[in-house]
Amino acid sequence: MKKITFIILFLAAFTYSQAETTKQPNDQTTKRPKIIVGLVVDQMRWDYLYFYENQYCQDGIRRLLNEGFSCENNMINYIPTVTAIGHASIYTGTGPALHGIAGNNFYEDGKRIYCCEDKSVMPVGSNNKAGYMSPRNMHASTIGDQLRLATNFQSRVFGVALKDRAAILPAGHSANAAYWYDKKAGHFITSSYYMEQLPEWVKKFNKENTTDTDVRGTTEGITLTFKMAEALLREEKLGQGNVTDMLTVSISSTDIIGHTTGTRGDENIAAYLQLDKDIAHFLNTLDKAVGKGNYLLFLSADHGAVHNPNYLKKHKIPAAGLPLWEQVAHINKHLAHIFIGADSLVIDAGSNSLYLNHKLIKEQKLSINEIKNEIKQYLMADQRICYVVDRANILHEPIPQFLRERVILGYDQRRSGDLLVITRPNVVPGSNKPDYVGTSHGTWNPYDSHIPLVFFGWKIKHGETAAPTYIVDIAPTICALLHIQMPNAAIGNPIPHITE
C-alpha cells in the first residue's frame, strides 16, 4: 500500500513539474505594458511639433509633449530617406544594407520590384492588384516579431495604414494581420499571407466606411486611418489579455498632401490640425480601452521634407528643383555617343539613384567603371549636384565621413542603384518649374532626416533631450523596455534617457 501511495505521489509531483516546465507565459512575470502602439506620420518634419503648436489642442500632440519624453535631435542615419525604408528602419532598428528594403521600388537581378510585391499571395477583400503584397522582401525581424517570439506567439501584432508598405513592413513577418487601403475598392484589404478572408468586423467596417473617391490625399484619409485603428483595437480586444500586444499605425495622407501642396500650403496646415484632433481622440480611446499608464506609445516619422524651392527663392534663400528621372534620357544620349551601339545604359532613376543596365553592359563587354566615370563627369557639370557617388566603391569616394557612413548603411548590394546623386542644400528632387508648389524628400539634409521621436505612457517620465539619437535606436529602446531581444539585424542602441 505504501509503495502504491509513493508511486501516486511521485507521478503527481512529476506531472506537476512537467506542467511547470512547459507552462506557457500567460502570466508574464516581467512587467510590461498591455499594448505597444507605434504611430508613424509620413513626411512629418521634426519642427511640425512646434510650427503649428499654437493651433494644436491640449489633448493631442501637446499632450504627448507635455506628458511624454521627446528626443529633439533624432536623425535618420542613412541615405535615401523615403517611405518604405523609413518604416522598415523604425521597426527593425537597422538600415537598407541589412533589412533589404532599398527603396519604395528597387531592382534585383535586373527586375524592377515594388518593396512589398508578392505574386505568391492573393488579395483578400478585393480582386485588385493592390492585394498582391506581403513582408517577404524584408530580410530583418521587427519589434512585433521579437515580441511574439518572447511570448511564444501569444502576443498579437497588427498593422494599419492607407499605404500598403506602411502597414505591412512595420507589422513584420509574423504579424496576425496588416490592413491597407485599396483605392479602387475604396476600403481596407489584406492578403492571403495573413488570412483567407476578412474578419466579419472588417467587412462591417468597410461597409460603413467605403469611399467613392480616393481619400488618401485628404484629411478624411487621416481620420479614416484612426477609425480603422480604433475599430481594430476594440474588435480584436488588444491590450485585454495577459501578454503584451502591439498595434502599428501609419498616417499616409500627410505625405501625399505634402508632395502636392508643400510644407507651407493651406492643405498641409489643415492636415496637421486634423492629425492633432485625431491623435487626441485616439489617446482618449486608448485611455478608456486599456487605461492610462497601461500602454506605451511612440510617435515618429519615416522622413521629413524640404520646403518648396519657389517658396524659398521668393525669400532669397538659394534653392532649385532637380527631377533626376528627367535626366535619364539626356544621360543615355550622352553615353550613346561615347559607347557606340549601347543605348539605354541607364535603365531607371529613383530615390536620387541611377540604375545601370548590367545585362547590356555585359553583352557589349563594356567597362562598368568607365561608364560610371562618364556619368559622374556629365552630372558634375550641373551646379545643383554636390557629389555623384559610386556605391560599390564608396571607400574611395572623396566625400565627408558622415556622408560615407550614411551611404553605406543605405546600400543593399543586390538592390540599390549603382550611383547615388547627392545634391546641394535645398535642391528638391522634384520639379524645377516656376508654378511648382509641392515638395519631396530623399536626401541626408536635416529637413529630410530630422524627424520627431516622442515616447509616451507606460514608464515614460516627462522630459526631453538634445542628445543625438537615431531612427535605428527606436526598436532597441522599445525592446529594452520590454526586456525582450532586439530585432535580429538591429544596430541601434537603447536610448538611456528612456530606459534608465
Side-chain angles (χ1 to χ4, degrees):
M1 185 67 181
K2 289 183 177 179
K3 284 186 176 180
I4 295 174
T5 303
F6 174 80
I7 292 171
I8 291 172
L9 290 173
F10 175 80
L11 290 174
F14 180 79
T15 302
Y16 177 80
S17 174
Q18 288 296 100
E20 285 296 295
T21 302
T22 59
K23 183 179 179 181
Q24 298 296 317
N26 292 322
D27 301 314
Q28 55 188 34
T29 55
T30 302
K31 296 298 182 182
R32 293 175 184 145
K34 290 185 176 181
I35 186 172
I36 310 295
V37 179
L39 178 56
V40 176
V41 182
D42 203 322
Q43 203 185 112
M44 185 176 186
R45 292 165 51 109
W46 163 81
D47 58 356
Y48 285 168
L49 290 174
Y50 305 102
F51 185 75
Y52 303 122
E53 187 178 16
N54 64 342
Q55 298 178 71
Y56 289 151
C57 66
Q58 289 297 324
D59 299 327
I61 293 174
R62 279 192 185 185
R63 181 182 172 191
L64 294 179
L65 292 173
N66 290 338
E67 298 179 25
F69 191 97
S70 180
C71 298
E72 295 286 283
N73 191 19
N74 189 59
M75 307 293 289
I76 295 173
N77 55 339
Y78 54 75
I79 314 172
T81 48
V82 298
T83 297
I85 300 177
H87 282 85
S89 299
I90 286 171
Y91 289 91
T92 63
T94 192
L98 297 172
H99 62 55
I101 301 301
N104 296 335
N105 298 281
F106 46 81
Y107 279 78
E108 188 167 24
D109 298 326
K111 179 184 177 183
R112 195 172 195 261
I113 297 172
Y114 176 65
C115 59
C116 292
E117 174 185 331
D118 187 352
K119 295 299 174 57
S120 72
V121 302
M122 295 297 293
V124 174
S126 80
N127 295 316
N128 303 322
K129 67 178 183 179
Y132 292 99
M133 304 289 170
S134 86
R136 287 191 173 114
N137 289 326
M138 183 168 63
H139 301 320
S141 67
T142 62
I143 301 170
D145 292 327
Q146 298 303 136
L147 177 62
R148 286 192 28 95
L149 280 164
T151 60
N152 282 342
F153 297 93
Q154 292 182 74
S155 293
R156 292 170 299 155
V157 176
F158 294 85
V160 174
L162 296 186
K163 290 182 181 180
D164 49 58
R165 55 188 180 270
I168 293 169
L169 299 174
H173 298 277
S174 66
N176 297 82
Y179 298 105
W180 56 93
Y181 179 82
D182 180 348
K183 65 178 181 179
K184 288 187 177 180
H187 61 234
F188 284 92
I189 66 169
T190 187
S191 79
S192 60
Y193 179 88
Y194 304 99
M195 61 190 74
E196 295 304 315
Q197 61 178 355
L198 291 177
E200 289 303 316
W201 74 262
V202 178
K203 293 178 183 178
K204 183 175 183 293
F205 181 89
N206 282 341
K207 186 176 181 180
E208 295 172 352
N209 295 278
T210 294
T211 60
D212 295 327
T213 57
D214 184 1
V215 300
R216 293 177 304 166
T218 67
T219 55
E220 183 184 350
I222 298 172
T223 302
L224 180 63
T225 306
F226 278 109
K227 285 180 68 176
M228 179 61 173
E230 291 173 6
L232 197 158
L233 181 75
R234 178 180 63 251
E235 298 297 335
E236 295 291 349
K237 296 181 172 56
L238 296 184
Q240 305 301 316
N242 295 320
V243 293
T244 303
D245 295 323
M246 184 166 190
L247 174 61
T248 73
V249 183
S250 183
I251 306 304
S252 305
S253 299
T254 45
D255 179 69
I256 300 167
I257 292 169
H259 274 295
T260 306
T261 66
T263 60
R264 292 295 185 262
D266 291 341
E267 295 85 350
N268 200 57
I269 297 172
Y272 279 89
L273 296 186
Q274 186 61 53
L275 172 73
D276 181 54
K277 292 177 184 177
D278 288 333
I279 287 177
H281 189 276
F282 186 52
L283 293 177
N284 184 54
T285 299
L286 286 167
D287 290 343
K288 292 178 180 178
V290 184
K292 289 184 178 181
N294 290 328
Y295 59 91
L296 172 60
L297 178 146
F298 68 84
L299 166 72
S300 193
D302 52 349
H303 56 76
V306 62
H307 294 306
N308 175 269
N310 294 318
Y311 167 81
L312 291 170
K313 285 187 288 187
K314 181 180 178 181
H315 296 279
K316 300 181 180 180
I317 298 174
L322 177 61
L324 191 59
W325 59 88
E326 291 183 3
Q327 302 294 315
V328 172
H330 301 294
I331 295 169
N332 279 329
K333 184 177 180 180
H334 171 75
L335 294 175
H337 288 300
I338 299 168
F339 304 97
I340 307 300
D343 295 326
S344 301
L345 286 172
V346 178
I347 56 174
D348 207 347
S351 302
N352 280 354
S353 300
L354 294 174
Y355 288 84
L356 300 185
N357 190 335
H358 288 263
K359 182 180 178 181
L360 179 61
I361 292 170
K362 186 176 181 180
E363 288 175 352
Q364 297 286 331
K365 298 180 179 180
L366 301 173
S367 168
I368 191 168
N369 287 331
E370 289 181 9
I371 294 170
K372 288 178 180 178
N373 288 332
E374 194 60 46
I375 294 173
K376 280 185 177 185
Q377 292 181 35
Y378 179 83
L379 288 176
M380 286 303 294
D382 191 326
Q383 294 299 312
R384 295 171 293 180
I385 293 173
C386 194
Y387 302 103
V388 180
V389 176
D390 179 359
R391 280 179 160 135
N393 296 292
I394 185 63
L395 294 179
H396 303 289
E397 293 286 3
I399 63 174
Q401 184 61 24
F402 82 95
L403 281 181
R404 191 190 318 277
E405 292 172 357
R406 283 161 173 74
V407 173
I408 291 172
L409 185 55
Y411 176 48
D412 182 295
Q413 293 190 30
R414 292 181 176 86
R415 294 174 169 179
S416 295
D418 299 274
L419 296 171
L420 177 68
V421 177
I422 299 177
T423 56
R424 297 195 181 280
N426 288 337
V427 173
V428 183
S431 176
N432 202 32
K433 296 179 180 178
D435 60 348
Y436 175 57
V437 296
T439 187
S440 195
H441 51 86
T443 73
W444 68 270
N445 305 77
Y447 43 73
D448 282 350
S449 63
H450 190 188
I451 55 175
L453 177 56
V454 183
F455 294 90
F456 176 85
W458 182 80
K459 279 196 173 182
I460 301 301
K461 298 177 182 178
H462 171 59
E464 65 177 48
T465 180
T469 61
Y470 301 95
I471 190 171
V472 296
D473 295 333
I474 299 173
T477 300
I478 295 295
C479 291
L481 287 170
L482 299 180
H483 293 285
I484 64 175
Q485 183 61 273
M486 65 181 67
N488 58 19
I491 62 169
N493 296 295
I495 300 169
H497 299 85
I498 304 299
T499 57
E500 291 179 351

